[in-house]
Amino acid sequence: MLQLGLYDFLRHIKRNVFVAVFLAVMCLLITSLYSVFYYEYGKFKPFKKLEKTAGNGFFLADTVLSDDPLNGFTNNFVNNENINKIYQVHKGNNLKIEGRTCSVYVYGEWTWKNWQARLKNGEWFDDYDKEDELIQVVIGVNTQGYEPGDIIECTVDGKNCKCIVKGILQDNTEIMFSPSGYYIGDMNYESCYVLPQNSRTFVLMQEEAADACGIASDEVVSNWAILEYRDDVSDEVVHEINSLAETLSIGAGVVYRAFLEDSTIIVYEKMLAYVPMMVSAFVLSIIAVITVAFINVEKGAKYYSIYYLTGGSKRECFLIASGNVAGTILISVILYITGNEFLEWFTRQRNIVYSTIGAARVMAAGLYAVFTVFLVVCMFFAMKQNSPLDMLRKHRQH
Amino acid sequence: MIKLENITKIYNKGKKNEFTALKNVNLTIEDGEFIAVTGTSGAGKSTLLYVISGIDTYEDGSCTLDGTELNRLSDVKLSKVRNKTIGFVMQDFALVEDFSVLENVMLPLQFDKMSGKKKKELAMEAIKRVDIEELAKKQVNQLSGGQKQRTAIARAIVNHPNYILADEPTGALDSKTSKEIMNLFEKLNADGQTIIIVTHDPDVAVRCKRNIRIEDGQVV
């Protein structure tokens, strides 16, 4: 019976591969969409938490290209009685690693504890311990090919400090909305463009570690910050502060809207570019799979009636048919895994957002389980509707 | 030996379109017989074949095949009986079009536990008996009607069954090819095979040694 099952499968190999390819494409589309959505949405998650506790806190990017880099917008709000706290992320330019000038992002405690970039390898920050001899760093743009565990020599104004590489970021184009690169095109909030900064290494560092290393706060440009409002602050005051903050910033449009409005909407808007293409491909795939599954039903039922006629039991005939489904699903899973690995590699080369997170893989497994059940159920009902006796009667031509 | 005692087969029992296909059929078929079952369309000829082979059940009576009562067997056991004891030949050949002649003839053997080599040997032996050895590797959809029917007959005899049941085996063939197929059946019967042919063709019926006529589900 196994040999017959294999014959049956190989004789319909074109049909089986066709269905396998379309199933794999469908699963790739769904998991890609989910992964990209989750990745985009995941950027906003830490700020959801803040929104709940702080009422109207929001997040802005600072004037990266300001003539006066010391006049960060945070300076405008430090003494504002309506602001509980300012969570800052700094950017400094005067760190030299092994003689080369590097960019450094200094993360305040709230920032690095609540948001973790996706790491290609290694680990994120541990709690800062001033007794540690080595300063923890995470490498963003890794032009020098550092590996976790590497010890690197840094200098700040002649002062040396040794750093240990904790991890390497997976996505080096965007870190907390502030690109490692720079804006191009018009200074239009709605159409900011991001490019990876490939020319230099940049380094993520904890604020306390940066202080210990000698990167003083007045030597950095305040890159972006989170304002936590007092709970009893009125809407008018919030609006006034928001307006002021917005005028001080470039590139705040998307993030500002995301935080004050529903961040999901922003994610959806970003996904709009992907959705029409993916939905079309998804629908076509569904149609293709169902069509192939159903137009082969009568032909399949005829063949299984022949197997029944020549001595196969109904159970054996069903198992042979199930073998077709199993083989098709197996090929499809292999195609899916291969396609997924390729997509991840391909997009990583181009610094495009794509990362199949664990949940998407579970989703793919679930989809395949659904497709398998669907195909088996279709087959079962087809065989039930076209019983061997019914099919044999059809073999009689008068 | 096949023995049918008071066999009654009813379709759609209890429904508005209830139909009695066989009524109190009594029949004994001895080993080595060459029988034609004739009758008008809808008389119950094919139903008789399906009941004898266990493909269809019956409501009343008893059908024994070499002493085994068929209604008492499970589907798995019935399929084993069908595999070993019966060879079926259908009007439209009932071949798997995507398979070769050899693969089609090997079909009944695929439900048995024997080596691939042994299966091929048995299949080739059957193919030789029906004189289509040169077509063994050809795909069935490239064959003529007569060649396809020979393939179907080879498949029916590959397991050396006790009985060959043929449902209008010449129905789709021209008269010349029909004669060739009947010659083949006669040759198989001469070798000791029990053959039961359902037919409405008098030229076929006349070549069989015994004729059973069925009218309105009853043996006349």
Side-chain angles (χ1 to χ4, degrees):
Chain A
M1 194 190 76
L2 281 176
Q3 192 174 12
L4 180 56
L6 190 59
Y7 271 153
D8 197 76
F9 180 78
L10 290 174
R11 282 296 172 179
H12 300 111
I13 193 69
K14 283 183 193 166
R15 176 200 70 190
N16 292 335
V17 168
F18 179 83
V19 172
V21 166
F22 270 92
L23 283 177
V25 165
M26 265 200 293
C27 285
L28 273 173
L29 289 173
I30 292 169
T31 55
S32 306
L33 193 63
Y34 181 82
S35 290
V36 175
F37 174 86
Y38 189 86
Y39 184 88
E40 294 287 335
Y41 187 73
K43 293 179 191 171
F44 298 90
K45 269 179 79 174
F47 303 101
K48 281 287 188 186
K49 178 180 162 186
L50 185 67
E51 189 179 13
K52 282 178 186 158
T53 57
N56 288 305
F58 65 85
F59 171 83
L60 281 179
D62 202 350
T63 51
V64 175
L65 302 177
S66 167
D67 289 337
D68 181 2
L70 293 180
N71 187 24
F73 78 60
T74 51
N75 292 334
N76 290 275
F77 302 104
V78 167
N79 298 315
N80 191 312
E81 63 182 10
N82 293 302
I83 306 275
N84 264 345
K85 198 172 170 57
I86 300 171
Y87 300 94
Q88 289 183 302
V89 178
H90 307 270
K91 180 185 169 196
N93 284 313
N94 57 351
L95 182 74
K96 282 193 187 298
I97 292 183
E98 294 170 346
R100 291 178 307 283
T101 302
C102 300
S103 296
V104 61
Y105 280 75
V106 175
Y107 281 11
E109 186 181 1
W110 185 91
T111 311
W112 71 260
K113 277 199 170 172
N114 283 282
W115 180 80
Q116 181 173 345
R118 290 186 176 82
L119 292 162
K120 194 158 47 180
N121 49 22
E123 296 170 348
W124 192 234
F125 294 115
D126 293 328
D127 280 321
Y128 175 74
D129 185 343
K130 64 180 178 186
E131 301 299 325
D132 286 342
E133 290 180 16
L134 300 169
I135 304 288
Q136 299 178 58
V137 294
V138 171
I139 304 296
V141 180
N142 191 14
T143 55
Q144 300 307 308
Y146 292 117
E147 293 286 334
D150 285 351
I151 310 295
I152 55 179
E153 302 273 350
C154 304
T155 52
V156 180
D157 289 343
K159 183 184 169 187
N160 292 339
C161 59
K162 278 191 179 177
C163 300
I164 179 165
V165 177
K166 288 279 291 175
I168 313 293
L169 287 188
Q170 184 177 28
D171 176 23
N172 60 14
T173 58
E174 295 185 34
I175 298 175
M176 291 282 277
F177 312 105
S178 180
S180 61
Y182 41 88
Y183 299 109
I184 62 169
D186 296 332
M187 294 299 179
N188 181 334
Y189 296 176
E190 306 304 319
S191 61
C192 293
Y193 226 84
V194 172
L195 286 178
Q197 190 178 26
N198 291 324
S199 60
R200 56 170 74 179
T201 299
F202 73 82
V203 168
L204 280 64
M205 196 180 278
Q206 293 157 298
E207 186 174 11
E208 288 171 292
D211 289 343
C213 210
I215 302 175
S217 59
D218 60 357
E219 290 174 3
V220 303
V221 171
S222 179
N223 193 242
W224 20 265
I226 304 155
L227 305 179
E228 181 188 303
Y229 295 115
R230 277 176 29 202
D231 286 343
D232 60 351
V233 71
S234 68
D235 287 346
E236 288 76 19
V237 169
V238 168
H239 180 73
E240 194 182 312
I241 295 175
N242 288 354
S243 301
L244 174 61
E246 199 174 1
T247 61
L248 295 171
S249 303
I250 284 179
V254 171
V255 178
Y256 175 77
R257 283 187 292 123
F259 200 70
L260 287 187
E261 296 169 14
D262 182 358
S263 59
T264 309
I265 294 172
I266 297 304
V267 173
Y268 286 153
E269 285 181 358
K270 288 184 108 178
M271 300 306 294
L272 275 178
Y274 301 105
V275 165
M277 175 197 71
M278 287 194 167
V279 167
S280 305
F282 180 75
V283 168
L284 282 172
S285 299
I286 289 273
I287 292 171
V289 169
I290 291 176
T291 303
V292 169
F294 280 99
I295 63 175
N296 279 282
V297 154
E298 185 151 345
K299 190 177 178 187
K302 181 184 172 185
Y303 284 178
Y304 298 124
S305 72
I306 295 171
Y307 299 159
Y308 186 74
L309 185 73
T310 51
S313 63
K314 286 176 187 168
R315 182 179 152 271
E316 282 167 325
C317 294
F318 184 76
L319 283 176
I320 291 168
S322 301
N324 259 285
V325 171
T328 303
I329 295 291
L330 181 64
I331 292 176
S332 189
V333 166
I334 292 170
L335 288 173
Y336 169 79
I337 291 171
T338 308
N340 200 52
E341 294 298 318
F342 172 75
L343 268 179
E344 286 200 352
W345 170 83
F346 181 80
T347 53
R348 199 172 297 137
Q349 305 308 308
R350 285 150 183 79
N351 290 315
I352 296 169
V353 171
Y354 182 83
S355 176
T356 315
I357 55 171
R361 292 183 204 274
V362 171
M363 181 187 286
L367 282 172
Y368 272 109
V370 166
F371 288 140
T372 305
V373 169
F374 170 72
L375 289 172
V376 169
V377 166
C378 284
M379 186 186 65
F380 175 79
F381 278 109
M383 290 176 91
K384 209 164 159 60
Q385 287 292 98
N386 299 280
S387 72
L389 186 58
D390 294 330
M391 295 309 297
L392 288 169
R393 288 196 180 278
K394 285 180 189 175
H395 283 297
R396 307 190 74 248
Q397 286 182 0
H398 70 85
Chain B
M1 184 172 77
I2 298 171
K3 197 163 183 184
L4 285 82
E5 291 179 47
N6 298 316
I7 289 289
T8 298
K9 170 67 192 173
I10 302 172
Y11 288 110
N12 302 316
K13 192 172 181 182
K15 295 181 184 170
K16 273 187 185 172
N17 55 349
E18 183 178 298
F19 171 71
T20 304
L22 295 173
K23 290 174 205 168
N24 293 319
V25 169
N26 287 281
L27 190 59
T28 301
I29 297 167
E30 303 286 350
D31 290 346
E33 287 207 70
F34 191 5
I35 295 175
V37 178
T38 58
T40 53
S41 186
K45 307 186 295 297
S46 297
T47 305
L48 183 69
L49 278 194
Y50 295 151
V51 163
I52 288 171
S53 61
I55 290 174
D56 206 352
T57 55
Y58 46 89
E59 273 63 43
D60 213 355
S62 138
C63 175
T64 53
L65 207 70
D66 295 339
T68 306
E69 166 100 46
L70 294 185
N71 243 14
R72 292 196 183 151
L73 298 178
S74 63
D75 182 64
V76 171
K77 286 193 175 145
L78 260 179
S79 64
K80 292 289 166 255
V81 166
R82 214 162 38 245
N83 183 248
K84 297 287 185 195
T85 317
I86 296 169
F88 235 108
V89 180
M90 303 293 283
Q91 181 177 7
D92 76 343
F93 325 121
L95 298 170
V96 180
E97 297 284 318
D98 299 331
F99 286 7
S100 66
V101 167
L102 182 64
E103 285 165 346
N104 268 283
V105 174
M106 278 169 65
L107 264 180
L109 304 172
Q110 301 291 12
F111 299 105
D112 213 335
K113 285 174 189 163
M114 60 175 81
S115 68
K117 190 179 167 194
K118 179 78 180 163
K119 287 176 190 172
K120 274 191 182 155
E121 272 174 23
L122 288 172
M124 284 308 299
E125 189 189 304
I127 287 170
K128 279 178 197 166
R129 279 183 79 187
V130 300
D131 300 322
I132 51 168
E133 198 181 337
E134 70 282 3
L135 302 174
K137 298 250 169 97
K138 248 187 154 176
Q139 268 211 311
V140 156
N141 53 23
Q142 297 171 357
L143 303 180
S144 69
Q147 290 168 336
K148 283 182 184 177
Q149 199 59 292
R150 284 176 186 269
T151 304
I153 293 170
R155 184 184 67 192
I157 62 173
V158 71
N159 245 343
H160 301 286
N162 297 344
Y163 310 98
I164 293 179
L165 308 182
D167 194 354
E168 304 278 4
T170 60
L173 305 174
D174 57 55
S175 54
K176 179 173 177 265
T177 314
S178 297
K179 283 179 186 161
E180 288 170 8
I181 294 300
M182 286 311 295
N183 290 343
L184 186 51
F185 277 127
E186 281 175 350
K187 181 181 154 196
L188 292 171
N189 180 243
D191 291 340
Q193 201 83 57
T194 308
I195 299 178
I196 306 168
I197 297 181
V198 162
T199 184
H200 69 280
D201 185 347
D203 291 337
V204 168
V206 83
R207 291 181 71 164
C208 299
K209 292 173 186 168
R210 181 180 163 196
N211 267 247
I212 295 170
R213 187 162 178 81
I214 294 192
E215 296 268 1
D216 298 322
Q218 288 179 305
V219 173
V220 175

